[in-house]
Amino acid sequence: MGLPKSSGNTESYGVSILGGAQISLTLLEKIMDGIPVPFVKSVAGAAVEVIKMARVMQSNREECDDLVQRSTSLLVVILRSFDGKTEAAIPSHLREGVERLASNFHEVLATLQTIDKRAGKRSVSAIAKALVYHFDNAEKLKGCSAKLNWAMQEFQVTTKVESCLKELEQYHEICKDLKDIKKGLMGIQLAGEGQTRDNVASLPSTFMPAEPKIFGRAEYIEFAIKLIFTNGSSHIVILGPGGMGKTSVALKIIYDARVIERFGINRIWLPCEQATSVNLFIELLAKVLKLSSSSSNDRFEDVVKMLEASDTIYIFLLDNFETLLEIAGQQSHLGDVLSRIASIPSVSFIITMRGSHYPFCESIDWSHPPLPPLTQLDLDPATEAFLRISPESEADSELPTLLQELDCMPLAITLMAKLARAGETVSQLLSQWKSERTRLLDQVGGDRRTSIEVSIKLSLDSQAVKGNPDTIRLLGVFAMLPGGAAQDRIPDMCPSIPGWRAALRALLGAALVHYDSDKTYIQMLSPIRSYVLLHHPPEPETLKDLRSSYYKLAEKGRSEPGDPDHNANTTEISKEEANIEYTLLGVLQSNEVDVYSAISASLGYTNYLYGNQPRSDVIAAALRRAKSSESWPTQHADCMLELGRIHYTRCQYDAARTALEQARSEYLKLGSRRGNAQCLQTLGMVFLVQDQLEQATTAFRGAETEYIGLDDKIGTFKCRRDLGYILLSQGKLDEAAVLLEDVKMQSELLGDRFSATICLAMLGEVRYSQGQKDSARIAFEEAVTLFAALGSRFSAARCQWFLGDLLWENGQLNKAYITLKEAKAEFVRIGDPLNTANCMFSLGRVFLATNEYGDALKELEEAKRLYSTYGHPRWAGRCDRVIEQVHRKQGSSMT
């Protein structure tokens, strides 16, 4: 028949001969025309027609492509088996098997034609029903393709025709596989017509699934393959949460060319979830090894003797092994069985199982170093995985957000991408995910591979989790913490769960939670969090304890730089920002009536944000709830004040003035002199930064009067310090110096180290303006050190900006660049656009001095944009003048 000989890998030949191109079918048809044996030609013709038809099918595209690949591979094996043989040389019983194979190919073809004909005239309701069963049918087709893959391996006959007689039983199995394909495809037809039908019989347990397409696991797979080839036999465990792709990774390893070359057809997949007992597991082993019935009373001994006597090597993929470990009362028996198998030199195995702990089998020499548990994908491979299924989503800018919402969990990505392929946009899916969560990815009649909820429930149903009631209670707590749970905070968060340590061990063992890279925080994947919150939310008592813990933490945000515990409080809060905000917003945005404590905690937390990374979400929510209750008028004014301060730090000056004026009005009605003073002081800063010096002076004087009336010396001297800065802005340098020196001394006597250090930095600015550069530099350097010790990164960065300008003036350009770059990075982190622009302007001048014109223009243009955006046209004009210098210098350098 003229079929080219392969190097031994018939699957790769089948793929290459098809190659997805029309020329491949032409080649197959030419080969078929040259076949002298009618019944072989018949089966080849039928296979080619199936390939043609499957290629043009519109539904279940991915599964049809796989069917094409497997059909082609099987056809190549059949053609090789009869290459150069005459009809007379082929036994009649083998001829009958091939003819039955051809008949089944024809039946599959007829089914495909029926589906294709009726697909174009389905009603809306029928299409909806077809969509419901789409993924279930896809799994059936994948199973059918897997059968063809197995059949291709078993059917392989590359020597004399007589050896085909030994394969007759496998021909019958192939015929059965093709009938199952027909039934699976007919299921699509019936689903589309709104009809029902009994389920097709489950797949034989020993058929190897098709090679999966996976992304982002190349290094992991390579590591595993090296372990396989390190010793004579290998014992590898792939751990991780459900839905992380453990089976896919293991199959990818099994399909690696090097593994195929070493083990050949002795690469055996055993889906352990099909074994309901250890004895059934042993029977599965016997089945895949084709061990004949025996009069022996010990089936396992038969398996062991067969493996020990064999002159070939095996590698078993024991998939979903945790299901065997969950069988009550059989763990010891299972351990003995696995240990005995592992002791056979010719046997290697790969175990996949949910969890983070190895099977308890001390006598097994596990491959070392162990594979780390599988974690979620990085964003780039997650994107590749999604776009492979739904390439039309590539242009959607919200795809990264959707993937991050899913925590880049492989199973969730696959299911979500299939929904996108079915017609949903990424934006729609993102919106649906936020409202429906894991229910969106729950397929009717789904299993662990097609339903997120089923996959998670399997982990929750494990003996370790179900056996301890505290595990579900603790899991509900963890689900409330998107930033993860610090282990040292658990006793404070969960006083009603004294057995939390044992519960935590169970949750870690089931891989429902995992440690972060530093082993300090317990984290939970987003899909698992969503499922737990939906089905196992924390109990009322536990929720109350959790909230109380985070309210206390948020209240620590009221501390100010210089307070004894300020640095420790800031560090503790910074690690818990996500959890604090989730807790506070969860209460403030709910229908709960008693939110007083949540509002109070929000005020403390916002004070922390004011000096770190100003954000208004929490305080805005608190303000809305305070406004709705006439019982908390002071809280409403407090919230308005904090909101005004946040607006000020974000250069939103009009919004800041509006909020501060409203807060001041409310404080005056309440008779709160302190509240009035705080509003006036912040209003003074708003006026000052906008160069409205007269209004700023009036505001600071008013605040000073209130503090004097309250006998608040610290507040009084803070106002005088701010008046000193107005004198500096007015060019009254000597008056400013005298006032600031006095306030600095008084603040130190009062123990207000932070205000005293601010005075020191202001004196540095005075010395700088007076031309006393060395004195200014010393003041700024000392202030940077003191601010860092006091916990005010913002104030330290301000001093670094001034230091950078001094270094630039002194010609120390490299040091200036480093100092200004650090200051700019801090202001970007904080979200302060004005001071970011200040640093960029200064960096532009440094780049101009070093003749780096492109970088200079980049910094100066962005600084100009920020100044213009936030209402500082005078400073924007300063940028224009330096930009002109850059262009002149750049032009002269080119002539």
Side-chain angles (χ1 to χ4, degrees):
M1 288 179 278
L3 189 67
K5 301 297 183 184
S6 75
S7 60
N9 187 344
T10 57
E11 176 176 304
S12 63
Y13 180 84
V15 174
S16 65
I17 197 171
L18 183 65
Q22 189 62 39
I23 184 69
S24 304
L25 284 173
T26 304
L27 177 57
L28 282 174
E29 288 170 336
K30 287 182 177 179
I31 294 172
M32 182 186 68
D33 289 340
I35 298 174
V37 183
F39 60 86
V40 177
K41 186 172 183 177
S42 175
V43 73
V48 168
E49 291 303 316
V50 167
I51 292 168
K52 284 182 178 180
M53 191 67 199
R55 287 182 57 173
V56 299
M57 291 290 295
Q58 296 301 313
S59 63
N60 291 87
R61 187 62 261 153
E62 182 180 351
E63 292 74 30
C64 286
D65 287 344
D66 195 56
L67 180 59
V68 168
Q69 175 182 322
R70 300 303 170 188
S71 298
T72 306
S73 300
L74 181 55
L75 177 57
V76 171
V77 172
I78 295 170
L79 294 177
R80 277 211 188 93
S81 301
F82 297 98
D83 190 13
K85 305 301 179 182
T86 63
E87 183 175 2
I90 301 175
S92 59
H93 52 274
L94 185 54
R95 171 175 176 166
E96 292 172 359
V98 175
E99 288 175 344
R100 283 193 298 272
L101 187 58
S103 175
N104 279 280
F105 266 121
H106 282 299
E107 290 180 15
V108 171
L109 179 61
T111 303
L112 287 170
Q113 290 169 338
T114 301
I115 295 170
D116 187 59
K117 181 186 299 182
R118 298 187 180 183
K121 54 183 181 181
R122 288 176 180 162
S123 65
V124 174
S125 61
I127 291 174
K129 291 177 182 177
L131 184 58
V132 170
Y133 289 99
H134 175 86
F135 299 123
D136 186 47
N137 289 323
E139 290 302 316
K140 292 177 182 177
L141 284 173
K142 286 180 180 178
C144 293
S145 292
K147 293 179 187 180
L148 284 179
N149 177 62
W150 174 84
M152 180 271 296
Q153 294 181 26
E154 296 296 322
F155 192 79
Q156 214 172 5
V157 181
T158 56
T159 56
K160 297 181 180 180
V161 169
E162 284 74 17
S163 64
C164 293
L165 296 174
K166 299 178 182 179
E167 307 298 329
L168 181 57
E169 181 181 350
Q170 293 165 27
Y171 273 93
H172 290 293
E173 289 292 332
I174 294 170
C175 294
K176 179 180 179 297
D177 295 345
L178 289 172
K179 288 180 180 177
D180 284 346
I181 293 173
K182 172 194 170 185
K183 291 179 181 178
L185 292 171
M186 185 62 74
I188 300 174
Q189 170 194 343
L190 295 176
E193 296 170 354
Q195 301 177 36
T196 60
R197 188 167 186 152
D198 293 337
N199 291 331
V200 179
S202 60
L203 295 179
S205 61
T206 56
F207 291 130
M208 180 89 76
E211 181 179 359
K213 300 286 193 302
I214 61 175
F215 301 88
R217 306 294 197 196
E219 291 185 9
Y220 192 98
I221 291 168
E222 189 62 29
F223 182 21
I225 291 172
K226 287 180 180 178
L227 289 177
I228 292 174
F229 285 87
T230 298
N231 301 307
S233 61
S234 303
H235 311 119
I236 298 171
V237 182
I238 299 176
L239 298 167
M244 206 53 66
K246 299 179 292 296
T247 298
S248 294
V249 167
L251 286 169
K252 200 71 175 175
I253 295 167
I254 289 293
Y255 274 103
D256 185 85
R258 291 163 290 180
V259 177
I260 293 174
E261 182 179 359
R262 179 168 184 175
F263 295 96
I265 64 172
N266 297 320
R267 298 167 295 119
I268 299 170
W269 175 65
L270 269 78
C272 297
E273 71 266 26
Q274 295 190 15
T276 55
S277 68
V278 176
N279 287 336
L280 182 54
F281 172 66
I282 294 170
E283 287 296 332
L284 286 174
L285 273 174
K287 179 178 180 180
V288 297
L289 294 171
K290 299 181 178 60
L291 198 61
S292 59
S293 299
S294 162
S295 58
S296 170
N297 292 325
D298 193 336
R299 192 65 163 154
F300 182 57
E301 281 301 319
D302 294 340
V303 170
V304 170
K305 288 177 182 178
M306 182 269 183
L307 290 172
E308 288 178 336
S310 175
D311 58 357
T312 59
I313 56 175
Y314 291 86
I315 185 166
F316 293 93
L317 169 48
L318 308 181
D319 199 16
N320 296 310
F321 193 73
E322 75 279 356
T323 55
L324 284 172
L325 290 172
E326 290 296 321
I327 301 173
Q330 298 196 34
Q331 288 86 352
S332 178
H333 185 195
L334 179 63
D336 292 340
V337 168
L338 191 63
S339 298
R340 183 74 182 278
I341 293 172
S343 69
I344 302 173
S346 61
V347 174
S348 296
F349 55 72
I350 301 172
I351 287 175
T352 70
M353 58 181 287
R354 293 165 183 254
S356 59
H357 304 317
Y358 271 48
F360 185 74
C361 302
E362 292 182 349
S363 62
I364 295 179
D365 184 17
W366 299 106
S367 296
H368 191 80
L371 289 171
L374 279 177
T375 59
Q376 61 265 51
L377 296 172
D378 291 333
L379 185 58
D380 285 346
T383 303
E384 287 184 74
F386 191 99
L387 293 178
R388 177 183 173 270
I389 298 171
S390 179
E392 60 273 15
S393 302
E394 184 172 11
D396 200 312
S397 61
E398 291 194 278
L399 180 57
T401 303
L402 177 62
L403 295 174
Q404 288 164 347
E405 280 283 328
L406 299 174
D407 258 345
C408 295
M409 183 181 187
L411 177 57
I413 292 169
T414 298
L415 298 178
M416 193 69 82
K418 288 182 176 180
L419 290 176
R421 187 178 65 187
E424 301 277 5
T425 68
V426 171
S427 299
Q428 290 170 335
L429 291 172
L430 183 59
S431 176
Q432 292 174 41
W433 170 256
K434 290 179 178 179
S435 61
E436 298 180 44
R437 294 296 176 179
T438 51
R439 288 173 296 186
L440 177 63
L441 303 181
D442 185 28
Q443 300 300 317
V444 176
D447 60 15
R448 70 175 73 209
R449 292 172 292 275
T450 61
S451 170
I452 283 287
E453 297 215 340
V454 170
S455 179
I456 295 170
K457 189 175 185 301
L458 284 171
S459 296
L460 288 170
D461 286 341
S462 66
Q463 291 292 336
V465 174
K466 292 176 67 176
N468 182 350
D470 283 343
T471 56
I472 297 298
R473 298 178 65 204
L474 187 64
L475 195 65
V477 172
F478 290 160
M480 294 289 293
L481 305 175
Q487 185 162 333
D488 58 2
R489 284 186 51 80
I490 294 178
D492 183 62
M493 293 188 297
C494 310
S496 62
I497 309 179
W500 66 266
R501 292 184 185 277
L504 175 58
R505 286 194 293 271
L507 294 174
L508 288 168
L512 287 163
V513 298
H514 60 277
Y515 279 114
D516 67 353
S517 56
D518 296 327
K519 301 289 185 181
T520 55
Y521 271 75
I522 297 106
Q523 297 180 322
M524 185 185 298
L525 292 171
S526 175
I528 299 177
R529 280 189 61 240
S530 299
Y531 179 89
V532 173
L533 288 174
L534 184 64
H535 298 283
H536 303 284
E539 299 171 348
E541 181 184 5
T542 308
L543 182 59
K544 182 179 179 181
D545 291 338
L546 177 67
R547 287 175 173 175
S548 176
S549 174
Y550 277 99
Y551 289 166
K552 287 188 294 184
L553 179 57
E555 291 284 4
K556 292 181 180 181
R558 295 180 185 272
S559 66
E560 299 288 349
D563 290 349
D565 296 327
H566 178 72
N567 285 354
N569 291 342
T570 299
T571 299
E572 187 177 6
I573 293 173
S574 68
K575 295 177 180 178
E576 296 285 343
E577 286 185 15
N579 295 333
I580 292 173
E581 293 190 14
Y582 186 85
T583 300
L584 293 176
L585 289 173
V587 176
L588 296 170
Q589 295 174 350
S590 71
N591 295 322
E592 295 184 34
V593 176
D594 186 7
V595 295
Y596 184 89
S597 296
I599 294 175
S600 178
S602 298
L603 289 166
Y605 180 62
T606 302
N607 190 66
Y608 155 82
L609 292 176
Y610 176 75
N612 290 275
Q613 288 183 301
R615 296 189 297 275
S616 60
D617 295 9
V618 171
I619 198 62
L623 180 64
R624 286 191 292 271
R625 292 307 303 271
K627 185 177 181 179
S628 66
S629 174
E630 297 180 358
S631 304
W632 310 320
T634 302
Q635 277 197 329
H636 185 264
D638 291 343
C639 289
M640 193 64 74
L641 169 59
E642 290 300 326
L643 183 62
R645 296 176 72 214
I646 294 293
H647 285 320
Y648 161 66
T649 59
R650 297 175 69 178
C651 302
Q652 299 165 344
Y653 304 125
D654 290 343
R657 289 172 63 175
T658 299
L660 292 166
E661 290 289 3
Q662 184 175 341
R664 185 182 176 218
S665 175
E666 293 183 18
Y667 282 130
L668 289 172
K669 290 178 182 178
L670 293 167
S672 173
R673 301 187 69 178
R674 183 173 300 282
N676 183 41
Q678 291 172 329
C679 289
L680 285 169
Q681 196 170 4
T682 309
L683 277 168
M685 297 304 299
V686 174
F687 290 131
L688 180 60
V689 78
Q690 292 184 300
D691 294 330
Q692 298 175 7
L693 302 183
E694 185 176 342
Q695 294 94 319
T697 300
T698 301
F700 289 141
R701 292 289 186 196
E704 180 187 26
T705 300
E706 293 286 31
Y707 283 127
I708 290 172
L710 291 166
D711 196 26
D712 184 339
K713 291 183 173 58
I714 289 179
T716 300
F717 283 112
K718 283 181 178 178
C719 292
R720 292 177 183 174
R721 176 199 71 200
D722 296 337
L723 287 167
Y725 198 80
I726 289 179
L727 292 173
L728 170 61
S729 302
Q730 292 173 328
K732 301 176 182 179
L733 303 180
D734 292 338
E735 292 180 54
V738 172
L739 179 58
L740 290 169
E741 287 284 7
D742 179 62
V743 173
K744 178 176 179 292
M745 181 184 67
Q746 296 295 334
S747 297
E748 288 171 343
L749 291 173
L750 292 169
D752 188 356
R753 296 183 296 157
F754 183 54
S755 187
T757 306
I758 292 176
C759 290
L760 174 64
M762 287 182 176
L763 284 166
E765 292 189 54
V766 172
R767 304 304 181 210
Y768 179 86
S769 299
Q770 291 175 327
Q772 302 175 32
K773 304 298 174 62
D774 287 342
S775 179
R777 177 183 55 78
I778 292 171
F780 286 136
E781 288 176 344
E782 183 182 355
V784 167
T785 302
L786 290 172
F787 279 134
L790 292 170
S792 179
R793 293 170 63 175
F794 168 83
S795 301
R798 279 276 298 180
C799 292
Q800 281 185 300
W801 169 48
F802 283 112
L803 275 173
D805 272 355
L806 276 172
L807 292 166
W808 167 73
E809 287 189 6
N810 291 335
Q812 297 174 276
L813 301 180
N814 188 50
K815 287 185 177 180
Y817 167 75
I818 293 172
T819 303
L820 290 168
K821 185 179 179 182
E822 289 178 357
K824 174 187 170 184
E826 183 61 25
F827 290 129
V828 169
R829 184 195 70 83
I830 292 172
D832 185 331
L834 179 57
N835 281 300
T836 298
N838 290 338
C839 291
M840 297 184 85
F841 174 80
S842 298
L843 281 167
R845 295 196 297 182
V846 170
F847 286 130
L848 173 60
T850 57
N851 301 324
E852 297 173 80
Y853 305 122
D855 289 334
L857 289 172
K858 180 181 177 181
E859 297 287 342
L860 290 165
E861 291 286 0
E862 180 61 14
K864 176 185 173 182
R865 186 190 69 79
L866 290 172
Y867 284 140
S868 299
T869 299
Y870 292 98
H872 297 285
R874 181 165 60 88
W875 297 348
R878 187 176 60 165
C879 290
D880 280 331
R881 289 190 289 275
V882 180
I883 289 171
E884 289 177 7
Q885 294 178 35
V886 175
H887 286 308
R888 283 198 302 271
K889 192 172 180 182
Q890 189 177 27
S892 63
S893 69
M894 297 175 65
T895 58

